[in-house]
Amino acid sequence: IATNYTTLSRNSLLVKLNSMGINVNKHHIISAAYAGVLKLRSMGSPSCEFFLKEDTKSDYDEFQIDSIAPEVIIIGDLDREWSFDIINNIFNKVLKGSKIIALHKGRYFQVSEGLQIDSGAFIKAIEYATSTISEVVGKPEKAFFELALKDMNLRPEESMMIGDDIVNDVEGAQLAGVKGVLVKTGKYRKDLVEKSNIEPDLIISSINEIIEFFN
């Protein structure tokens, strides 16, 4: 399960999936938050400030926190907690030299009321104001898909990504050499797909249809 979900820790995601009847182990979950942990380790564990939900912060217990002059700022989903003060705080720290690692730069996601703006919009605003570019570790980055492929010991041409996001799931997979399948559930919107000019390898109405594809 390759997901940009960052409002829950990897352990909490496991509990949630199991409660839904999805029998997976922790190592089956490659989340954007977990990709952030791996990225920080590869950087030599710099000092950090985390703009994440409290539960997700538990994934990062091994790292030193610096809320004054962090070397790296980790940004994930804050949902309705985003505010001017938070954005301005990050803006000023980036101007002073802090680097941003964005767990993802999603544009929108599905909630019960419909679509809701995602953290990518706020990250883009900070990039624009500071004339900098953040480093993204989640979908649609090629490295994220490569992380999942390596974990499964599969080659891109042997693999298929099924998701409801035309950019993060489908285009991201295709850029990594993986077949991208769009499922018309969740955040899928026909008009947004048409505006994207991205051609999925397959479009299905339900994940159940994928079984027919292999028969």
Side-chain angles (χ1 to χ4, degrees):
I1 297 177
T3 175
N4 270 352
Y5 209 97
T6 64
T7 55
L8 291 176
S9 65
R10 208 168 173 219
N11 284 329
S12 295
L13 275 174
L14 174 64
V15 172
K16 180 174 182 176
L17 289 168
N18 287 167
S19 71
M20 295 166 62
I22 302 174
N23 187 22
V24 295
N25 296 318
K26 184 176 177 178
H27 72 271
H28 292 142
I29 303 169
I30 306 294
S31 69
Y34 176 60
V37 170
L38 296 180
K39 179 62 180 178
L40 289 176
R41 288 175 183 169
S42 74
M43 296 171 66
S45 299
S47 63
C48 303
E49 184 170 13
F50 302 102
F51 290 89
L52 304 168
K53 289 285 192 176
E54 285 303 316
D55 184 72
T56 310
K57 289 179 182 179
S58 65
D59 282 340
Y60 294 84
D61 285 344
E62 67 192 80
F63 302 104
Q64 175 189 347
I65 296 176
D66 182 347
S67 59
I68 305 300
E71 295 174 82
V72 175
I73 294 173
I74 302 291
I75 303 178
D77 294 314
L78 292 176
D79 201 3
R80 297 179 182 274
E81 294 176 15
W82 281 104
S83 68
F84 172 82
D85 288 341
I86 288 175
I87 294 172
N88 198 51
N89 181 9
I90 298 171
F91 161 75
N92 279 287
K93 285 171 179 170
V94 172
L95 286 181
K96 293 176 182 177
S98 299
K99 299 182 184 301
I100 292 178
I101 290 182
L103 298 187
H104 69 78
K105 286 168 74 174
R107 302 178 183 184
Y108 51 85
F109 61 98
Q110 179 72 25
V111 295
S112 58
E113 298 85 7
L115 295 181
Q116 180 173 309
I117 193 168
D118 209 346
S119 58
F122 302 107
I123 294 168
K124 278 284 192 181
I126 296 166
E127 289 177 334
Y128 174 76
T130 59
S131 299
T132 60
I133 300 295
S134 59
E135 183 167 358
V136 184
V137 294
K139 295 183 291 184
E141 294 303 301
K142 183 179 179 180
F144 184 80
F145 290 94
E146 290 174 341
L147 175 65
L149 290 169
K150 181 179 180 181
D151 187 70
M152 295 185 291
N153 195 29
L154 291 173
R155 297 190 302 273
E157 60 271 20
E158 299 175 313
S159 310
M160 177 181 290
M161 174 73 192
I162 305 168
D164 61 0
D165 190 311
I166 188 65
V167 176
N168 288 339
D169 294 326
V170 175
E171 185 178 43
Q174 291 174 337
L175 291 174
V178 176
K179 288 184 175 61
V181 178
L182 181 66
V183 60
K184 297 195 287 186
T185 56
K187 69 168 70 172
Y188 167 82
R189 297 291 188 278
K190 182 180 178 181
D191 58 331
L192 295 176
V193 172
E194 291 174 347
K195 289 177 182 177
S196 72
N197 294 318
I198 299 168
E199 291 291 335
D201 292 284
L202 183 68
I203 300 177
I204 56 178
S205 297
S206 165
I207 196 169
N208 292 326
E209 293 179 15
I210 203 65
I211 297 173
E212 301 174 11
F213 178 77
F214 291 106
N215 292 333

